[in-house]
């Protein structure tokens, strides 16, 4: 019985050892299987990764190739644009140079045109002045010729005291005392329309006659200042050999008071030419008539007929130009 117990006791460790070995073997197999599965998974992952990398490399290579082509094309376009830009810059510089040349030429032409216009204006002004001077000279010559003819007629017994209607005779001249508001130049035109001129005064006797008949509010006379020297002259071109300025006159030649009026007192006063006066005085030479037969009233002599004032003029009365 004791041997049976001892044999059972010996078999128990053996069974345990067998079970442990079997478990170890099974564990090893499971571990090997796991490692094999893991290795398979790793191999599959590696293969998949390798394929993906190959595809990425191929795609990257294609992209790099396309990018290179694009870069080459862009570089070519850039070079073409650079060349075109250089050409455009050159053309722009040429245009600027041409514009500057045209501007300089236009400025030169403008200067030449201004010079021509100034020369033309000066020529026109000179021509106008010469024409006016020639016209004034011709008018003065005509008047001198008329005066000489009158002297010859008077020496031949003609009577020179005939005036147009509404004109008054005094010392071989006719005077018209106009009324109406006018500026100096319009008064001059009014006298021209009546074949006369604004009056010129050359003696105290003539001044007294005009003072007696002229308007008491002031009248335009033919004295004016049109030159730069400030010298007053008569419209018939004669110089001032007699004057009757009011005290303190003339005053402001440099301020535009270039025309002369006769006050009601007969005194002269320089005034603005655009001032409007209500009267003006014109004069012209009287017309001569041949002598009448002896015994008539006209045979008393060339200056023996009374003037409209009833006075007998002096036979030796001087002729004033």
């Amino acid at each position: 019985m004791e041997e049976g117990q001892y044999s059972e006791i010996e078999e128990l460790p053996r069974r345990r050892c067998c079970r442990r070995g079997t478990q170890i073997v099974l564990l090893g197999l499971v571990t090997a299987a796991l490692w094999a599965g893991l290795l398979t998974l790793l191999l599959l992952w590696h293969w998949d990764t390798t394929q993906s990398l190959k595809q990425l490399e191929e795609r990257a290579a294609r992209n790099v190739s396309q990018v290179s082509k694009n870069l080459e094309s862009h570089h070519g376009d850039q070079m073409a644009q650079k060349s075109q830009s250089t050409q455009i810059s050159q053309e722009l510089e040429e245009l600027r140079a041409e514009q500057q040349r045209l501007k300089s030429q236009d400025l030169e032409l403008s200067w030449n045109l201004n010079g021509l216009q100034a020369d033309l204006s000066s020529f026109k002004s000179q021509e106008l002045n010469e024409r006016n001077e020639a016209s004034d000279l011709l008018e003065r010559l005509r008047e001198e010729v008329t005066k000489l003819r009158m002297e010859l007629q008077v020496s031949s017994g003609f009577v020179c005291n005939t005036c147009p209607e509404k004109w008054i005779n005094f010392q071989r001249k006719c005077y018209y005392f106009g009324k109406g508001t006018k500026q100096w130049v319009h008064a001059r035109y009014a006298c021209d329309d009546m074949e006369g001129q604004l009056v010129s005064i050359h003696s105290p006797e003539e001044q007294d006659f005009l003072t007696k008949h002229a308007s008491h509010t002031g009248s335009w006379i033919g004295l004016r200042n049109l030159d730069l020297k400030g010298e007053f002259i008569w419209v018939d071109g004669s110089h001032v050999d007699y004057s009757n300025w009011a005290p303190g006159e003339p005053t402001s030649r440099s301020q535009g008071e270039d025309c002369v009026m006769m006050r009601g007192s007969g005194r002269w006063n320089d005034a603005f030419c655009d001032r409007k006066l209500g009267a003006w005085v014109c004069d012209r030479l009287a017309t001569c008539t041949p002598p009448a037969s002896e015994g008539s009233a006209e045979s008393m002599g060339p200056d023996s007929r009374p003037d409209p004032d009833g006075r007998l003029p002096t036979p030796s009365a001087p002729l004033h130009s």
Side-chain angles (χ1 to χ4, degrees):
M1 183 175 180
E2 290 179 356
E3 292 178 358
Q5 291 179 345
Y6 285 128
S7 61
E8 289 180 358
I9 294 171
E10 290 177 357
E11 289 178 357
L12 288 173
R14 289 178 182 177
R15 291 178 181 176
R16 291 179 179 175
C17 291
C18 290
R19 290 179 180 176
R20 288 181 179 175
T22 302
Q23 291 177 352
I24 291 172
V25 171
L26 291 174
L27 182 60
L29 291 174
V30 170
T31 302
L34 290 175
W35 278 107
L38 181 60
L39 182 59
T40 302
L41 290 175
L42 289 174
L43 289 174
L44 290 174
W45 178 80
H46 177 70
W47 182 82
D48 185 62
T49 303
T50 302
Q51 294 297 323
S52 298
L53 288 175
K54 287 181 178 180
Q55 293 178 356
L56 289 174
E57 288 177 357
E58 292 176 355
R59 188 178 300 169
R62 288 195 300 270
N63 291 335
V64 169
S65 177
Q66 185 66 33
V67 169
S68 298
K69 292 180 180 179
N70 292 337
L71 286 175
E72 291 178 358
S73 177
H74 178 70
H75 183 68
D77 294 340
Q78 188 176 12
M79 292 298 293
Q81 290 178 357
K82 186 175 181 180
S83 176
Q84 187 177 4
S85 176
T86 303
Q87 184 178 359
I88 292 175
S89 298
Q90 293 177 354
E91 292 177 354
L92 183 61
E93 289 297 328
E94 292 177 358
L95 288 175
R96 287 176 178 173
E98 182 68 16
Q99 183 182 14
Q100 187 66 26
R101 186 183 67 82
L102 291 176
K103 186 177 180 180
S104 177
Q105 185 177 3
D106 181 66
L107 184 60
E108 183 178 358
L109 290 175
S110 178
W111 286 344
N112 293 334
L113 180 60
N114 291 334
L116 289 175
Q117 289 178 345
D119 293 340
L120 180 61
S121 178
S122 176
F123 176 75
K124 288 182 178 179
S125 178
Q126 183 179 0
E127 182 184 9
L128 181 60
N129 290 335
E130 291 177 353
R131 185 181 300 175
N132 291 335
E133 290 177 1
S135 178
D136 292 342
L137 179 59
L138 180 60
E139 187 64 29
R140 289 197 297 270
L141 289 175
R142 287 176 179 174
E143 187 172 355
E144 290 297 328
V145 169
T146 303
K147 289 179 180 180
L148 290 175
R149 184 184 296 114
M150 180 181 291
E151 291 291 340
L152 292 174
Q153 290 175 338
V154 169
S155 64
S156 300
F158 280 67
V159 178
C160 299
N161 59 1
T162 303
C163 295
E165 185 180 359
K166 297 183 180 179
W167 289 67
I168 302 176
N169 172 257
F170 179 76
Q171 294 183 350
R172 302 176 189 171
K173 290 175 68 176
C174 301
Y175 299 87
Y176 181 84
F177 298 90
K179 294 182 179 180
T181 304
K182 293 184 183 298
Q183 297 177 357
W184 186 90
V185 66
H186 297 148
R188 181 178 182 180
Y189 291 156
C191 292
D192 292 340
D193 291 340
M194 293 184 290
E195 299 181 359
Q197 58 190 3
L198 279 174
V199 65
S200 58
I201 309 170
H202 297 281
S203 68
E205 293 80 10
E206 187 177 16
Q207 179 64 65
D208 292 339
F209 168 77
L210 293 173
T211 303
K212 181 179 179 180
H213 291 85
S215 172
H216 295 291
T217 60
S219 306
W220 286 122
I221 60 176
L223 191 62
R224 86 284 196 223
N225 169 35
L226 294 181
D227 57 10
L228 299 178
K229 298 180 180 179
E231 180 182 1
F232 286 91
I233 58 175
W234 297 104
V235 293
D236 60 3
S238 59
H239 294 284
V240 179
D241 52 7
Y242 165 79
S243 62
N244 191 35
W245 292 105
E249 301 293 342
T251 54
S252 304
R253 298 181 183 178
S254 61
Q255 298 180 5
E257 295 185 353
D258 296 325
C259 296
V260 179
M261 60 172 289
M262 182 176 63
R263 298 176 181 175
S265 62
R267 293 288 187 173
W268 303 351
N269 175 43
D270 57 342
F272 291 100
C273 296
D274 58 356
R275 178 177 174 179
K276 293 183 178 181
L277 294 181
W280 70 95
V281 183
C282 307
D283 70 356
R284 56 179 288 179
L285 293 175
T287 303
C288 298
T289 58
S293 60
E294 291 186 10
S296 62
E298 288 82 357
S299 62
M300 296 174 62
D303 294 321
S304 59
R305 294 183 63 183
D307 61 15
D309 300 325
R311 296 179 299 176
L312 289 174
T314 303
S316 61
L319 178 65
H320 298 281
S321 56

